[in-house]
Amino acid sequence: MRPITATLINLYHICHRELWLHAHEVRMEFFSDAVQDGKQLHETAYPQRADRNREIMLGGSKIDFYDPKTKVVHEIKRGNKAEQAHVAQVKYYLWLLEQHGAPGATGLLEYPRLRQTQKVELLPEDYAAIAAWEADIRCIVESEQCPPVINKPFCKQCSYYELCYVDE
Amino acid sequence: MKKSLYIFNPGRMSRQDNTLKYTAYDEEGAEGQTKFLPIENVADLYVFGSLDANSALYNFLGKNGVSVHFFDYYEHYTGSFMAKEYLLAGRLQVAQTGHYTSLKKRLVVARKLVEGAAFNLLKNLRYYQGRGRQVAEEIAQIELYVSGLPYATTIAELMGYEGNIRQTYYRCFEQLVNVPGFTFSSRSTQPPQNELNALLSFGNMLCYAACLSQIYHTQLNPTISFLHEPGSRRFSLALDLAEIFKPLLVDRTIFRLLNKKEIQPRDFVRELDGCLLKEAGRKTFVRVFEERLKETIQHRRLNRSVSYQHLIKLECYKLTKHLLNMEEYQPFKAWW
């Protein structure tokens, strides 16, 4: 299996089926307006952001903005509906940074549309949680069987909606 | 909303900044009108006339995921320029191949395809039966063939059923097109022998290209097919899917065009050994076919309004799920 990435951690907290499909490279985001919109937001939300922010790759995961001076990871999201998934993703970044010899970083979840930001820190109890997520993700992705649909209201907004629910 | 572009007139297509520029030529080859077409609005190009273009244009089209389909003077599909695949899925590719190489698995998919096609063409017959056409005999005959499908044990047998079903179906065509001046007798191709055959050939080819375009926007490999033999044409999976959609997209378009007299005998040219649509006729056909593709229905499962064109893509999704062992494939059957 390919390495676990922050994207998978995020999906794990949203929908196990989407996680499985994404990990098996059945991708839908190319057609999703929401994804396009997110990309746009990402490029335009903070035009004055300092140049010292860097994009860094850590074992297959990509952190979009990392400020090495203040040790802050910035993560921009459109809306806060899946907030706990966003928090999990940022915690994973912080954990990854620590694994790669940069401990003590903090995270900042940014919702420019909502004019809100939220601080994220890696807490002692998160280490066990992250290990559990990883184990669970491995288990789901390695299964031959794709997890069933979850039938949640937010499915309708998902780019996989039609794939999941079309049956005849 | 992205649209397909059909190019009938000779001209030159080029890139200007991030826009397509099309300059038509007149009969003497002098430059005529220039049109600008934003690339964001172009889904794909269908080229019937002679088109000048250079590699800069193809690079531009390729980067924007626009494919170009070419047709020869006789309106036969001759090939496509396909942008570099942007949706690759190794695992799906392997699964798709597996479903082709295992006869047992392949039969399951192939049978469903014939079943779906038969259901949809029966739908057409029943619709016209409701309008007083005498097609009961053919319907019964086709139903008999359909009841035999579960017992077919080879692909050749399924193709045989498919052929018989279509032949029986085509026997009704003269009746369904209740317009003097149009005879059918039997299906003939390369070249078509009469007007109805010419329309069928032209329409089927448009349907094939429409299916190919949709497959391209999914992760299925268009060259690995189940009912048709891979290699019977370059992108044989499009032939498989076209079976299901021809009755709805092509045949209904033809009945409408003729019954409403939008296309008439004067729109054809009879040549030495066949019959072809003239340019005006082709344009009318393409216009109505495009309208048909854009027409929407309320999808009863998705609870969304979807176009006929989008139904083709949904069919690809269902196939994907089948191939990944997620859900058994159920072919699209018109439910209205």
Side-chain angles (χ1 to χ4, degrees), chain B residues 3-34:
Chain B
K3 273 193 188 148
S4 299
L5 281 181
Y6 294 81
I7 299 162
F8 291 101
N9 299 323
R12 173 165 191 85
M13 183 79 84
S14 54
R15 169 185 184 170
Q16 184 158 331
D17 301 324
N18 282 325
T19 312
L20 293 179
K21 177 179 159 192
Y22 177 73
T23 312
Y25 295 157
D26 65 12
E27 271 128 54
E28 279 83 49
E31 284 192 5
Q33 242 193 341
T34 297

PDB file of all heavy atoms in Angstrom, chain B residues 3-34:
ATOM      1  N   LYS B   3     -19.750  22.607 -24.475  1.00  0.00           N
ATOM      2  CA  LYS B   3     -20.533  22.165 -25.632  1.00  0.00           C
ATOM      3  C   LYS B   3     -19.639  21.488 -26.652  1.00  0.00           C
ATOM      4  O   LYS B   3     -18.482  21.848 -26.797  1.00  0.00           O
ATOM      5  CB  LYS B   3     -21.166  23.382 -26.300  1.00  0.00           C
ATOM      6  CG  LYS B   3     -22.491  23.760 -25.715  1.00  0.00           C
ATOM      7  CD  LYS B   3     -23.149  24.758 -26.643  1.00  0.00           C
ATOM      8  CE  LYS B   3     -24.392  25.310 -25.986  1.00  0.00           C
ATOM      9  NZ  LYS B   3     -24.660  26.680 -26.366  1.00  0.00           N
ATOM     10  N   SER B   4     -20.226  20.558 -27.369  1.00  0.00           N
ATOM     11  CA  SER B   4     -19.504  19.965 -28.487  1.00  0.00           C
ATOM     12  C   SER B   4     -19.563  20.920 -29.671  1.00  0.00           C
ATOM     13  O   SER B   4     -20.584  21.539 -29.905  1.00  0.00           O
ATOM     14  CB  SER B   4     -20.141  18.647 -28.901  1.00  0.00           C
ATOM     15  OG  SER B   4     -20.104  17.753 -27.839  1.00  0.00           O
ATOM     16  N   LEU B   5     -18.445  21.012 -30.394  1.00  0.00           N
ATOM     17  CA  LEU B   5     -18.429  21.847 -31.589  1.00  0.00           C
ATOM     18  C   LEU B   5     -18.405  20.954 -32.816  1.00  0.00           C
ATOM     19  O   LEU B   5     -17.607  20.024 -32.888  1.00  0.00           O
ATOM     20  CB  LEU B   5     -17.166  22.694 -31.624  1.00  0.00           C
ATOM     21  CG  LEU B   5     -17.088  23.948 -30.787  1.00  0.00           C
ATOM     22  CD1 LEU B   5     -15.737  24.601 -31.041  1.00  0.00           C
ATOM     23  CD2 LEU B   5     -18.187  24.901 -31.174  1.00  0.00           C
ATOM     24  N   TYR B   6     -19.266  21.229 -33.759  1.00  0.00           N
ATOM     25  CA  TYR B   6     -19.283  20.464 -35.006  1.00  0.00           C
ATOM     26  C   TYR B   6     -18.795  21.379 -36.111  1.00  0.00           C
ATOM     27  O   TYR B   6     -19.331  22.475 -36.284  1.00  0.00           O
ATOM     28  CB  TYR B   6     -20.695  19.989 -35.319  1.00  0.00           C
ATOM     29  CG  TYR B   6     -21.214  18.979 -34.320  1.00  0.00           C
ATOM     30  CD1 TYR B   6     -21.738  19.383 -33.101  1.00  0.00           C
ATOM     31  CD2 TYR B   6     -21.171  17.610 -34.601  1.00  0.00           C
ATOM     32  CE1 TYR B   6     -22.207  18.458 -32.182  1.00  0.00           C
ATOM     33  CE2 TYR B   6     -21.635  16.688 -33.703  1.00  0.00           C
ATOM     34  CZ  TYR B   6     -22.158  17.113 -32.491  1.00  0.00           C
ATOM     35  OH  TYR B   6     -22.623  16.195 -31.581  1.00  0.00           O
ATOM     36  N   ILE B   7     -17.803  20.940 -36.847  1.00  0.00           N
ATOM     37  CA  ILE B   7     -17.250  21.803 -37.888  1.00  0.00           C
ATOM     38  C   ILE B   7     -17.495  21.173 -39.252  1.00  0.00           C
ATOM     39  O   ILE B   7     -16.966  20.100 -39.561  1.00  0.00           O
ATOM     40  CB  ILE B   7     -15.755  22.045 -37.647  1.00  0.00           C
ATOM     41  CG1 ILE B   7     -15.614  22.744 -36.300  1.00  0.00           C
ATOM     42  CG2 ILE B   7     -15.168  22.901 -38.761  1.00  0.00           C
ATOM     43  CD1 ILE B   7     -14.249  22.675 -35.742  1.00  0.00           C
ATOM     44  N   PHE B   8     -18.336  21.817 -40.015  1.00  0.00           N
ATOM     45  CA  PHE B   8     -18.688  21.283 -41.326  1.00  0.00           C
ATOM     46  C   PHE B   8     -17.933  21.989 -42.438  1.00  0.00           C
ATOM     47  O   PHE B   8     -17.583  21.406 -43.435  1.00  0.00           O
ATOM     48  CB  PHE B   8     -20.189  21.445 -41.570  1.00  0.00           C
ATOM     49  CG  PHE B   8     -21.028  20.575 -40.700  1.00  0.00           C
ATOM     50  CD1 PHE B   8     -21.647  21.085 -39.578  1.00  0.00           C
ATOM     51  CD2 PHE B   8     -21.184  19.222 -41.002  1.00  0.00           C
ATOM     52  CE1 PHE B   8     -22.417  20.278 -38.763  1.00  0.00           C
ATOM     53  CE2 PHE B   8     -21.949  18.407 -40.200  1.00  0.00           C
ATOM     54  CZ  PHE B   8     -22.564  18.926 -39.081  1.00  0.00           C
ATOM     55  N   ASN B   9     -17.693  23.292 -42.252  1.00  0.00           N
ATOM     56  CA  ASN B   9     -17.076  24.075 -43.322  1.00  0.00           C
ATOM     57  C   ASN B   9     -15.566  23.987 -43.263  1.00  0.00           C
ATOM     58  O   ASN B   9     -14.995  23.818 -42.189  1.00  0.00           O
ATOM     59  CB  ASN B   9     -17.486  25.540 -43.190  1.00  0.00           C
ATOM     60  CG  ASN B   9     -18.979  25.701 -43.310  1.00  0.00           C
ATOM     61  OD1 ASN B   9     -19.615  25.003 -44.089  1.00  0.00           O
ATOM     62  ND2 ASN B   9     -19.536  26.582 -42.495  1.00  0.00           N
ATOM     63  N   PRO B  10     -14.925  24.121 -44.405  1.00  0.00           N
ATOM     64  CA  PRO B  10     -13.475  24.182 -44.375  1.00  0.00           C
ATOM     65  C   PRO B  10     -13.023  25.461 -43.678  1.00  0.00           C
ATOM     66  O   PRO B  10     -13.714  26.482 -43.747  1.00  0.00           O
ATOM     67  CB  PRO B  10     -13.077  24.189 -45.851  1.00  0.00           C
ATOM     68  CG  PRO B  10     -14.293  24.522 -46.605  1.00  0.00           C
ATOM     69  CD  PRO B  10     -15.470  24.186 -45.760  1.00  0.00           C
ATOM     70  N   GLY B  11     -11.920  25.381 -42.989  1.00  0.00           N
ATOM     71  CA  GLY B  11     -11.436  26.564 -42.296  1.00  0.00           C
ATOM     72  C   GLY B  11     -10.180  26.263 -41.511  1.00  0.00           C
ATOM     73  O   GLY B  11      -9.627  25.170 -41.604  1.00  0.00           O
ATOM     74  N   ARG B  12      -9.739  27.262 -40.783  1.00  0.00           N
ATOM     75  CA  ARG B  12      -8.531  27.083 -40.006  1.00  0.00           C
ATOM     76  C   ARG B  12      -8.824  27.337 -38.535  1.00  0.00           C
ATOM     77  O   ARG B  12      -9.403  28.350 -38.163  1.00  0.00           O
ATOM     78  CB  ARG B  12      -7.450  28.054 -40.481  1.00  0.00           C
ATOM     79  CG  ARG B  12      -6.226  28.038 -39.596  1.00  0.00           C
ATOM     80  CD  ARG B  12      -5.018  28.698 -40.215  1.00  0.00           C
ATOM     81  NE  ARG B  12      -3.864  28.376 -39.383  1.00  0.00           N
ATOM     82  CZ  ARG B  12      -3.153  27.265 -39.491  1.00  0.00           C
ATOM     83  NH1 ARG B  12      -3.463  26.386 -40.420  1.00  0.00           N
ATOM     84  NH2 ARG B  12      -2.155  27.017 -38.676  1.00  0.00           N
ATOM     85  N   MET B  13      -8.395  26.396 -37.692  1.00  0.00           N
ATOM     86  CA  MET B  13      -8.559  26.561 -36.250  1.00  0.00           C
ATOM     87  C   MET B  13      -7.184  26.824 -35.684  1.00  0.00           C
ATOM     88  O   MET B  13      -6.214  26.143 -36.018  1.00  0.00           O
ATOM     89  CB  MET B  13      -9.141  25.278 -35.662  1.00  0.00           C
ATOM     90  CG  MET B  13      -9.436  25.345 -34.188  1.00  0.00           C
ATOM     91  SD  MET B  13     -10.969  26.209 -33.823  1.00  0.00           S
ATOM     92  CE  MET B  13     -12.156  24.899 -34.055  1.00  0.00           C
ATOM     93  N   SER B  14      -7.082  27.836 -34.830  1.00  0.00           N
ATOM     94  CA  SER B  14      -5.785  28.098 -34.230  1.00  0.00           C
ATOM     95  C   SER B  14      -5.968  28.576 -32.804  1.00  0.00           C
ATOM     96  O   SER B  14      -7.084  28.844 -32.362  1.00  0.00           O
ATOM     97  CB  SER B  14      -5.018  29.135 -35.048  1.00  0.00           C
ATOM     98  OG  SER B  14      -5.805  30.283 -35.201  1.00  0.00           O
ATOM     99  N   ARG B  15      -4.849  28.665 -32.134  1.00  0.00           N
ATOM    100  CA  ARG B  15      -4.884  29.148 -30.767  1.00  0.00           C
ATOM    101  C   ARG B  15      -4.534  30.624 -30.757  1.00  0.00           C
ATOM    102  O   ARG B  15      -3.583  31.044 -31.406  1.00  0.00           O
ATOM    103  CB  ARG B  15      -3.853  28.382 -29.935  1.00  0.00           C
ATOM    104  CG  ARG B  15      -3.642  29.005 -28.578  1.00  0.00           C
ATOM    105  CD  ARG B  15      -2.551  28.307 -27.828  1.00  0.00           C
ATOM    106  NE  ARG B  15      -2.448  28.888 -26.488  1.00  0.00           N
ATOM    107  CZ  ARG B  15      -1.720  28.368 -25.521  1.00  0.00           C
ATOM    108  NH1 ARG B  15      -1.034  27.267 -25.718  1.00  0.00           N
ATOM    109  NH2 ARG B  15      -1.684  28.939 -24.344  1.00  0.00           N
ATOM    110  N   GLN B  16      -5.316  31.389 -30.043  1.00  0.00           N
ATOM    111  CA  GLN B  16      -4.908  32.770 -29.824  1.00  0.00           C
ATOM    112  C   GLN B  16      -5.035  33.048 -28.343  1.00  0.00           C
ATOM    113  O   GLN B  16      -6.141  33.041 -27.804  1.00  0.00           O
ATOM    114  CB  GLN B  16      -5.774  33.726 -30.637  1.00  0.00           C
ATOM    115  CG  GLN B  16      -5.292  35.153 -30.481  1.00  0.00           C
ATOM    116  CD  GLN B  16      -5.753  36.018 -31.641  1.00  0.00           C
ATOM    117  OE1 GLN B  16      -5.943  35.546 -32.757  1.00  0.00           O
ATOM    118  NE2 GLN B  16      -5.953  37.282 -31.371  1.00  0.00           N
ATOM    119  N   ASP B  17      -3.919  33.238 -27.699  1.00  0.00           N
ATOM    120  CA  ASP B  17      -3.880  33.298 -26.231  1.00  0.00           C
ATOM    121  C   ASP B  17      -4.565  32.039 -25.684  1.00  0.00           C
ATOM    122  O   ASP B  17      -4.204  30.958 -26.074  1.00  0.00           O
ATOM    123  CB  ASP B  17      -4.520  34.582 -25.720  1.00  0.00           C
ATOM    124  CG  ASP B  17      -3.811  35.807 -26.279  1.00  0.00           C
ATOM    125  OD1 ASP B  17      -2.577  35.732 -26.432  1.00  0.00           O
ATOM    126  OD2 ASP B  17      -4.477  36.796 -26.596  1.00  0.00           O
ATOM    127  N   ASN B  18      -5.563  32.222 -24.844  1.00  0.00           N
ATOM    128  CA  ASN B  18      -6.230  31.032 -24.337  1.00  0.00           C
ATOM    129  C   ASN B  18      -7.602  30.847 -24.945  1.00  0.00           C
ATOM    130  O   ASN B  18      -8.539  30.439 -24.288  1.00  0.00           O
ATOM    131  CB  ASN B  18      -6.316  31.082 -22.816  1.00  0.00           C
ATOM    132  CG  ASN B  18      -4.988  30.703 -22.202  1.00  0.00           C
ATOM    133  OD1 ASN B  18      -4.276  29.855 -22.741  1.00  0.00           O
ATOM    134  ND2 ASN B  18      -4.648  31.334 -21.100  1.00  0.00           N
ATOM    135  N   THR B  19      -7.674  31.141 -26.222  1.00  0.00           N
ATOM    136  CA  THR B  19      -8.947  31.059 -26.916  1.00  0.00           C
ATOM    137  C   THR B  19      -8.755  30.324 -28.226  1.00  0.00           C
ATOM    138  O   THR B  19      -7.671  30.342 -28.804  1.00  0.00           O
ATOM    139  CB  THR B  19      -9.469  32.486 -27.215  1.00  0.00           C
ATOM    140  OG1 THR B  19      -9.366  33.250 -26.031  1.00  0.00           O
ATOM    141  CG2 THR B  19     -10.891  32.470 -27.676  1.00  0.00           C
ATOM    142  N   LEU B  20      -9.796  29.644 -28.686  1.00  0.00           N
ATOM    143  CA  LEU B  20      -9.746  29.048 -30.008  1.00  0.00           C
ATOM    144  C   LEU B  20     -10.213  30.083 -31.015  1.00  0.00           C
ATOM    145  O   LEU B  20     -11.177  30.806 -30.782  1.00  0.00           O
ATOM    146  CB  LEU B  20     -10.674  27.840 -30.089  1.00  0.00           C
ATOM    147  CG  LEU B  20     -10.312  26.622 -29.264  1.00  0.00           C
ATOM    148  CD1 LEU B  20     -11.364  25.537 -29.456  1.00  0.00           C
ATOM    149  CD2 LEU B  20      -8.943  26.098 -29.660  1.00  0.00           C
ATOM    150  N   LYS B  21      -9.514  30.119 -32.136  1.00  0.00           N
ATOM    151  CA  LYS B  21      -9.885  31.064 -33.185  1.00  0.00           C
ATOM    152  C   LYS B  21     -10.189  30.247 -34.425  1.00  0.00           C
ATOM    153  O   LYS B  21      -9.366  29.432 -34.851  1.00  0.00           O
ATOM    154  CB  LYS B  21      -8.720  32.023 -33.421  1.00  0.00           C
ATOM    155  CG  LYS B  21      -8.943  33.003 -34.538  1.00  0.00           C
ATOM    156  CD  LYS B  21      -7.726  33.907 -34.640  1.00  0.00           C
ATOM    157  CE  LYS B  21      -7.643  34.546 -36.008  1.00  0.00           C
ATOM    158  NZ  LYS B  21      -6.339  35.189 -36.188  1.00  0.00           N
ATOM    159  N   TYR B  22     -11.344  30.462 -34.975  1.00  0.00           N
ATOM    160  CA  TYR B  22     -11.726  29.711 -36.161  1.00  0.00           C
ATOM    161  C   TYR B  22     -11.987  30.672 -37.306  1.00  0.00           C
ATOM    162  O   TYR B  22     -12.802  31.589 -37.196  1.00  0.00           O
ATOM    163  CB  TYR B  22     -12.977  28.871 -35.886  1.00  0.00           C
ATOM    164  CG  TYR B  22     -13.468  28.126 -37.090  1.00  0.00           C
ATOM    165  CD1 TYR B  22     -12.778  27.014 -37.559  1.00  0.00           C
ATOM    166  CD2 TYR B  22     -14.604  28.542 -37.774  1.00  0.00           C
ATOM    167  CE1 TYR B  22     -13.208  26.335 -38.683  1.00  0.00           C
ATOM    168  CE2 TYR B  22     -15.036  27.875 -38.898  1.00  0.00           C
ATOM    169  CZ  TYR B  22     -14.333  26.768 -39.351  1.00  0.00           C
ATOM    170  OH  TYR B  22     -14.750  26.106 -40.467  1.00  0.00           O
ATOM    171  N   THR B  23     -11.276  30.462 -38.403  1.00  0.00           N
ATOM    172  CA  THR B  23     -11.486  31.291 -39.585  1.00  0.00           C
ATOM    173  C   THR B  23     -12.013  30.411 -40.710  1.00  0.00           C
ATOM    174  O   THR B  23     -11.345  29.448 -41.112  1.00  0.00           O
ATOM    175  CB  THR B  23     -10.169  31.944 -40.042  1.00  0.00           C
ATOM    176  OG1 THR B  23      -9.548  32.528 -38.903  1.00  0.00           O
ATOM    177  CG2 THR B  23     -10.411  32.999 -41.082  1.00  0.00           C
ATOM    178  N   ALA B  24     -13.179  30.709 -41.179  1.00  0.00           N
ATOM    179  CA  ALA B  24     -13.764  29.900 -42.257  1.00  0.00           C
ATOM    180  C   ALA B  24     -13.144  30.290 -43.594  1.00  0.00           C
ATOM    181  O   ALA B  24     -12.693  31.423 -43.765  1.00  0.00           O
ATOM    182  CB  ALA B  24     -15.268  30.115 -42.284  1.00  0.00           C
ATOM    183  N   TYR B  25     -13.108  29.339 -44.519  1.00  0.00           N
ATOM    184  CA  TYR B  25     -12.682  29.635 -45.885  1.00  0.00           C
ATOM    185  C   TYR B  25     -13.902  29.590 -46.783  1.00  0.00           C
ATOM    186  O   TYR B  25     -14.790  28.776 -46.572  1.00  0.00           O
ATOM    187  CB  TYR B  25     -11.703  28.563 -46.405  1.00  0.00           C
ATOM    188  CG  TYR B  25     -10.383  28.506 -45.681  1.00  0.00           C
ATOM    189  CD1 TYR B  25      -9.631  27.336 -45.715  1.00  0.00           C
ATOM    190  CD2 TYR B  25      -9.882  29.591 -44.986  1.00  0.00           C
ATOM    191  CE1 TYR B  25      -8.415  27.251 -45.065  1.00  0.00           C
ATOM    192  CE2 TYR B  25      -8.670  29.513 -44.333  1.00  0.00           C
ATOM    193  CZ  TYR B  25      -7.933  28.339 -44.375  1.00  0.00           C
ATOM    194  OH  TYR B  25      -6.739  28.265 -43.729  1.00  0.00           O
ATOM    195  N   ASP B  26     -13.921  30.431 -47.784  1.00  0.00           N
ATOM    196  CA  ASP B  26     -15.026  30.301 -48.734  1.00  0.00           C
ATOM    197  C   ASP B  26     -14.590  29.379 -49.872  1.00  0.00           C
ATOM    198  O   ASP B  26     -13.531  28.773 -49.830  1.00  0.00           O
ATOM    199  CB  ASP B  26     -15.485  31.679 -49.226  1.00  0.00           C
ATOM    200  CG  ASP B  26     -14.401  32.385 -50.033  1.00  0.00           C
ATOM    201  OD1 ASP B  26     -13.411  31.717 -50.394  1.00  0.00           O
ATOM    202  OD2 ASP B  26     -14.535  33.600 -50.282  1.00  0.00           O
ATOM    203  N   GLU B  27     -15.436  29.263 -50.903  1.00  0.00           N
ATOM    204  CA  GLU B  27     -15.148  28.290 -51.955  1.00  0.00           C
ATOM    205  C   GLU B  27     -13.823  28.537 -52.676  1.00  0.00           C
ATOM    206  O   GLU B  27     -13.155  27.601 -53.092  1.00  0.00           O
ATOM    207  CB  GLU B  27     -16.289  28.271 -52.978  1.00  0.00           C
ATOM    208  CG  GLU B  27     -17.379  27.290 -52.610  1.00  0.00           C
ATOM    209  CD  GLU B  27     -18.757  27.941 -52.618  1.00  0.00           C
ATOM    210  OE1 GLU B  27     -19.107  28.542 -53.642  1.00  0.00           O
ATOM    211  OE2 GLU B  27     -19.445  27.853 -51.585  1.00  0.00           O
ATOM    212  N   GLU B  28     -13.450  29.810 -52.788  1.00  0.00           N
ATOM    213  CA  GLU B  28     -12.174  30.093 -53.467  1.00  0.00           C
ATOM    214  C   GLU B  28     -10.986  29.951 -52.533  1.00  0.00           C
ATOM    215  O   GLU B  28      -9.844  30.155 -52.935  1.00  0.00           O
ATOM    216  CB  GLU B  28     -12.174  31.515 -54.046  1.00  0.00           C
ATOM    217  CG  GLU B  28     -12.897  31.657 -55.371  1.00  0.00           C
ATOM    218  CD  GLU B  28     -14.397  31.819 -55.179  1.00  0.00           C
ATOM    219  OE1 GLU B  28     -14.791  32.666 -54.357  1.00  0.00           O
ATOM    220  OE2 GLU B  28     -15.161  31.072 -55.820  1.00  0.00           O
ATOM    221  N   GLY B  29     -11.244  29.660 -51.293  1.00  0.00           N
ATOM    222  CA  GLY B  29     -10.146  29.520 -50.346  1.00  0.00           C
ATOM    223  C   GLY B  29      -9.767  30.824 -49.669  1.00  0.00           C
ATOM    224  O   GLY B  29      -8.803  30.871 -48.913  1.00  0.00           O
ATOM    225  N   ALA B  30     -10.514  31.881 -49.930  1.00  0.00           N
ATOM    226  CA  ALA B  30     -10.221  33.152 -49.272  1.00  0.00           C
ATOM    227  C   ALA B  30     -10.786  33.134 -47.858  1.00  0.00           C
ATOM    228  O   ALA B  30     -11.790  32.477 -47.594  1.00  0.00           O
ATOM    229  CB  ALA B  30     -10.840  34.300 -50.063  1.00  0.00           C
ATOM    230  N   GLU B  31     -10.109  33.840 -46.987  1.00  0.00           N
ATOM    231  CA  GLU B  31     -10.543  33.840 -45.596  1.00  0.00           C
ATOM    232  C   GLU B  31     -11.875  34.544 -45.428  1.00  0.00           C
ATOM    233  O   GLU B  31     -12.119  35.595 -46.012  1.00  0.00           O
ATOM    234  CB  GLU B  31      -9.483  34.528 -44.722  1.00  0.00           C
ATOM    235  CG  GLU B  31      -8.303  33.639 -44.498  1.00  0.00           C
ATOM    236  CD  GLU B  31      -7.390  34.164 -43.416  1.00  0.00           C
ATOM    237  OE1 GLU B  31      -7.733  35.179 -42.781  1.00  0.00           O
ATOM    238  OE2 GLU B  31      -6.336  33.554 -43.216  1.00  0.00           O
ATOM    239  N   GLY B  32     -12.724  33.948 -44.633  1.00  0.00           N
ATOM    240  CA  GLY B  32     -14.022  34.545 -44.357  1.00  0.00           C
ATOM    241  C   GLY B  32     -14.099  35.002 -42.918  1.00  0.00           C
ATOM    242  O   GLY B  32     -13.123  35.494 -42.356  1.00  0.00           O
ATOM    243  N   GLN B  33     -15.241  34.755 -42.343  1.00  0.00           N
ATOM    244  CA  GLN B  33     -15.507  35.198 -40.976  1.00  0.00           C
ATOM    245  C   GLN B  33     -14.610  34.526 -39.943  1.00  0.00           C
ATOM    246  O   GLN B  33     -14.269  33.354 -40.071  1.00  0.00           O
ATOM    247  CB  GLN B  33     -16.945  34.832 -40.654  1.00  0.00           C
ATOM    248  CG  GLN B  33     -17.804  36.022 -40.354  1.00  0.00           C
ATOM    249  CD  GLN B  33     -19.103  35.563 -39.743  1.00  0.00           C
ATOM    250  OE1 GLN B  33     -19.488  34.410 -39.855  1.00  0.00           O
ATOM    251  NE2 GLN B  33     -19.765  36.475 -39.093  1.00  0.00           N
ATOM    252  N   THR B  34     -14.248  35.269 -38.921  1.00  0.00           N
ATOM    253  CA  THR B  34     -13.466  34.699 -37.819  1.00  0.00           C
ATOM    254  C   THR B  34     -14.325  34.645 -36.566  1.00  0.00           C
ATOM    255  O   THR B  34     -15.039  35.593 -36.256  1.00  0.00           O
ATOM    256  CB  THR B  34     -12.237  35.574 -37.547  1.00  0.00           C
ATOM    257  OG1 THR B  34     -11.431  35.549 -38.721  1.00  0.00           O
ATOM    258  CG2 THR B  34     -11.438  35.044 -36.385  1.00  0.00           C
TER     259      THR B  34
END
